[in-house]
Coordinates of all heavy atoms in Angstrom, one line a residue:
K421 N -35.7 40.3 0.5 CA -35.5 39.5 -0.7 C -35.2 40.5 -1.8 O -35.7 41.6 -1.8 CB -36.7 38.7 -1.1 CG -36.9 37.5 -0.2 CD -38.1 36.7 -0.7 CE -38.3 35.4 0.2 NZ -39.4 34.6 -0.4
Q422 N -34.3 40.1 -2.7 CA -33.9 41.0 -3.8 C -34.3 40.4 -5.1 O -34.3 39.2 -5.3 CB -32.4 41.2 -3.7 CG -31.9 42.0 -2.5 CD -30.4 42.1 -2.5 OE1 -29.7 41.3 -3.1 NE2 -30.0 43.3 -1.9
K423 N -34.6 41.2 -6.0 CA -34.8 40.8 -7.4 C -33.5 40.3 -8.0 O -32.4 40.7 -7.6 CB -35.5 41.9 -8.2 CG -36.8 42.4 -7.7 CD -37.4 43.5 -8.5 CE -38.7 43.9 -8.0 NZ -39.3 45.0 -8.8
P424 N -33.6 39.3 -9.0 CA -32.4 38.8 -9.6 C -31.5 39.8 -10.1 O -30.3 39.6 -10.1 CB -33.0 37.9 -10.7 CG -34.4 37.5 -10.2 CD -34.9 38.7 -9.5
D425 N -32.0 40.9 -10.6 CA -31.1 41.9 -11.2 C -30.5 42.9 -10.2 O -29.8 43.8 -10.5 CB -31.9 42.7 -12.3 CG -33.1 43.4 -11.7 OD1 -33.6 43.1 -10.6 OD2 -33.6 44.4 -12.4
K426 N -30.8 42.7 -8.9 CA -30.3 43.6 -7.9 C -29.0 43.1 -7.4 O -28.6 42.0 -7.5 CB -31.3 43.6 -6.7 CG -32.6 44.3 -6.9 CD -32.5 45.8 -7.0 CE -33.9 46.4 -7.2 NZ -33.8 47.9 -7.3
K427 N -28.2 44.1 -7.0 CA -26.8 43.8 -6.5 C -27.0 43.2 -5.1 O -27.9 43.4 -4.3 CB -26.0 45.1 -6.4 CG -25.7 45.7 -7.8 CD -24.9 46.9 -7.7 CE -24.6 47.5 -9.1 NZ -23.8 48.7 -9.0
P428 N -26.0 42.3 -4.6 CA -26.1 41.7 -3.3 C -26.0 42.8 -2.2 O -25.4 43.8 -2.4 CB -24.8 40.8 -3.3 CG -23.9 41.4 -4.3 CD -24.8 41.9 -5.4
G429 N -26.7 42.5 -1.1 CA -26.6 43.3 0.1 C -25.3 43.2 0.9 O -24.4 42.5 0.4
L430 N -25.3 43.8 2.0 CA -24.0 43.8 2.8 C -23.6 42.4 3.2 O -22.4 42.0 3.0 CB -24.3 44.6 4.1 CG -23.1 44.5 5.1 CD1 -21.9 45.1 4.5 CD2 -23.5 45.3 6.4
Y431 N -24.6 41.5 3.6 CA -24.2 40.2 4.0 C -23.7 39.4 2.8 O -22.7 38.6 2.8 CB -25.3 39.5 4.7 CG -25.0 38.0 5.1 CD1 -24.2 37.8 6.2 CD2 -25.4 36.9 4.3 CE1 -23.9 36.5 6.6 CE2 -25.0 35.7 4.7 CZ -24.3 35.5 5.8 OH -24.0 34.2 6.2
G432 N -24.4 39.6 1.7 CA -24.0 38.9 0.4 C -22.6 39.3 -0.1 O -21.8 38.4 -0.5
V433 N -22.3 40.6 0.1 CA -20.9 41.0 -0.3 C -19.9 40.4 0.6 O -18.9 40.0 0.1 CB -20.9 42.6 -0.2 CG1 -19.5 43.1 -0.4 CG2 -21.8 43.2 -1.3
L434 N -20.2 40.4 1.9 CA -19.2 39.8 2.8 C -19.0 38.3 2.6 O -17.8 37.9 2.5 CB -19.6 40.1 4.3 CG -19.7 41.5 4.8 CD1 -20.3 41.6 6.2 CD2 -18.2 42.0 4.9
F435 N -20.0 37.6 2.4 CA -19.9 36.2 2.1 C -19.2 35.9 0.9 O -18.3 35.0 0.8 CB -21.3 35.5 2.2 CG -21.2 34.0 2.4 CD1 -20.8 33.5 3.7 CD2 -21.5 33.1 1.4 CE1 -20.7 32.2 3.9 CE2 -21.4 31.8 1.6 CZ -21.1 31.3 2.8
R436 N -19.5 36.6 -0.2 CA -18.9 36.4 -1.5 C -17.4 36.7 -1.4 O -16.6 36.1 -2.0 CB -19.6 37.1 -2.6 CG -21.0 36.6 -2.9 CD -21.6 37.3 -4.1 NE -23.0 37.0 -4.3 CZ -23.8 37.5 -5.3 NH1 -23.3 38.3 -6.1 NH2 -25.0 37.1 -5.3
S437 N -17.1 37.8 -0.7 CA -15.7 38.2 -0.5 C -14.9 37.1 0.2 O -13.8 36.8 -0.2 CB -15.6 39.5 0.3 OG -16.3 40.5 -0.4
F438 N -15.5 36.5 1.2 CA -14.9 35.4 1.9 C -14.6 34.2 0.9 O -13.5 33.6 1.0 CB -15.8 34.9 3.0 CG -15.3 33.6 3.7 CD1 -14.3 33.7 4.6 CD2 -15.9 32.4 3.5 CE1 -13.8 32.6 5.3 CE2 -15.5 31.3 4.1 CZ -14.4 31.4 5.1
E439 N -15.5 33.9 0.1 CA -15.3 32.8 -0.9 C -14.2 33.2 -1.9 O -13.4 32.3 -2.2 CB -16.6 32.5 -1.6 CG -17.7 31.9 -0.7 CD -18.8 31.3 -1.5 OE1 -19.3 31.9 -2.5 OE2 -19.4 30.2 -1.1
V440 N -14.2 34.4 -2.4 CA -13.1 34.8 -3.3 C -11.8 34.7 -2.7 O -10.8 34.2 -3.3 CB -13.4 36.2 -3.8 CG1 -12.2 36.8 -4.6 CG2 -14.6 36.3 -4.7
M441 N -11.7 35.1 -1.4 CA -10.4 35.1 -0.7 C -10.0 33.6 -0.5 O -8.8 33.3 -0.7 CB -10.6 35.7 0.7 CG -9.4 35.6 1.6 SD -9.8 35.6 3.4 CE -10.5 34.0 3.5
Q442 N -10.9 32.7 -0.1 CA -10.7 31.3 0.0 C -10.1 30.7 -1.3 O -9.2 30.0 -1.3 CB -12.0 30.7 0.5 CG -11.9 29.2 0.6 CD -13.3 28.7 1.1 OE1 -13.4 28.1 2.2 NE2 -14.3 28.7 0.3
E443 N -10.8 31.0 -2.4 CA -10.4 30.5 -3.7 C -9.0 30.9 -4.1 O -8.1 30.1 -4.5 CB -11.4 30.8 -4.8 CG -12.8 30.2 -4.6 CD -13.8 30.9 -5.4 OE1 -13.5 31.8 -6.2 OE2 -15.0 30.6 -5.1
S444 N -8.7 32.2 -4.0 CA -7.4 32.8 -4.3 C -6.3 32.2 -3.5 O -5.2 31.9 -4.0 CB -7.5 34.3 -4.3 OG -8.5 34.8 -5.1
F445 N -6.5 32.2 -2.2 CA -5.5 31.7 -1.2 C -5.2 30.2 -1.5 O -4.1 29.8 -1.4 CB -6.1 31.9 0.2 CG -5.0 31.8 1.3 CD1 -3.6 31.6 0.9 CD2 -5.4 31.9 2.6 CE1 -2.7 31.6 1.9 CE2 -4.4 31.8 3.6 CZ -3.0 31.6 3.2
T446 N -6.2 29.4 -1.9 CA -6.0 28.0 -2.1 C -5.1 27.8 -3.3 O -4.1 27.0 -3.3 CB -7.4 27.3 -2.5 OG1 -8.2 27.4 -1.3 CG2 -7.1 25.9 -2.8
Y447 N -5.2 28.6 -4.4 CA -4.4 28.4 -5.6 C -2.9 28.9 -5.2 O -2.0 28.3 -5.7 CB -4.9 29.2 -6.7 CG -6.0 28.5 -7.5 CD1 -7.3 28.7 -7.3 CD2 -5.6 27.4 -8.4 CE1 -8.3 27.9 -7.9 CE2 -6.6 26.7 -9.0 CZ -7.9 26.9 -8.8 OH -8.9 26.2 -9.4
E448 N -2.8 29.9 -4.4 CA -1.5 30.3 -4.0 C -0.8 29.2 -3.2 O 0.4 28.9 -3.4 CB -1.6 31.6 -3.1 CG -0.2 32.1 -2.5 CD -0.4 33.2 -1.6 OE1 -1.3 34.0 -1.8 OE2 0.5 33.4 -0.8
L449 N -1.5 28.5 -2.3 CA -1.0 27.4 -1.5 C -0.6 26.2 -2.4 O 0.5 25.6 -2.1 CB -2.0 27.0 -0.4 CG -2.2 28.0 0.7 CD1 -3.5 27.5 1.5 CD2 -1.0 28.1 1.6
V450 N -1.4 25.9 -3.4 CA -1.1 24.8 -4.3 C 0.2 25.1 -5.0 O 1.1 24.2 -5.1 CB -2.2 24.6 -5.3 CG1 -1.8 23.6 -6.4 CG2 -3.5 24.1 -4.6
H451 N 0.4 26.3 -5.5 CA 1.6 26.7 -6.2 C 2.8 26.7 -5.3 O 3.9 26.2 -5.7 CB 1.4 28.2 -6.8 CG 2.7 28.6 -7.5 ND1 3.0 28.2 -8.8 CD2 3.6 29.5 -7.1 CE1 4.1 28.8 -9.1 NE2 4.5 29.6 -8.2
R452 N 2.6 27.0 -4.0 CA 3.7 27.0 -3.1 C 4.2 25.6 -2.7 O 5.4 25.4 -2.6 CB 3.4 27.8 -1.9 CG 4.5 28.0 -0.8 CD 4.0 28.7 0.5 NE 3.3 29.9 0.2 CZ 2.6 30.5 1.1 NH1 2.5 30.1 2.4 NH2 1.9 31.7 0.8
Y453 N 3.2 24.7 -2.4 CA 3.6 23.4 -1.8 C 3.6 22.3 -2.7 O 4.1 21.2 -2.4 CB 2.6 23.2 -0.6 CG 2.8 24.1 0.6 CD1 2.0 25.1 0.8 CD2 4.0 23.9 1.5 CE1 2.2 26.0 1.9 CE2 4.2 24.8 2.5 CZ 3.3 25.9 2.7 OH 3.5 26.7 3.8
K454 N 3.0 22.5 -3.9 CA 3.1 21.4 -5.0 C 2.8 20.0 -4.5 O 3.7 19.2 -4.4 CB 4.4 21.5 -5.7 CG 4.7 22.9 -6.3 CD 6.1 22.9 -7.0 CE 6.2 24.2 -7.8 NZ 6.2 25.4 -7.0
P455 N 1.5 19.7 -4.2 CA 1.2 18.3 -3.8 C 1.5 17.3 -4.9 O 1.5 17.7 -6.1 CB -0.3 18.4 -3.5 CG -0.8 19.5 -4.3 CD 0.3 20.5 -4.3
N456 N 1.8 16.1 -4.5 CA 2.0 15.1 -5.6 C 0.8 14.8 -6.4 O 0.9 14.4 -7.6 CB 2.5 13.8 -4.9 CG 3.7 13.9 -4.0 OD1 3.6 14.2 -2.9 ND2 4.9 13.9 -4.7

Side-chain angles (χ1 to χ4, degrees):
K421 289 185 177 180
Q422 295 179 331
K423 296 180 180 179
D425 59 341
K426 292 288 185 179
K427 296 180 181 179
L430 175 60
Y431 182 76
V433 169
L434 290 173
F435 198 71
R436 291 185 189 184
S437 298
F438 173 76
E439 290 191 324
V440 170
M441 178 208 70
Q442 178 179 244
E443 293 163 11
S444 300
F445 196 3
T446 296
Y447 277 101
E448 178 183 331
L449 291 169
V450 169
H451 179 73
R452 183 187 308 171
Y453 292 102
K454 298 179 174 59
N456 300 94

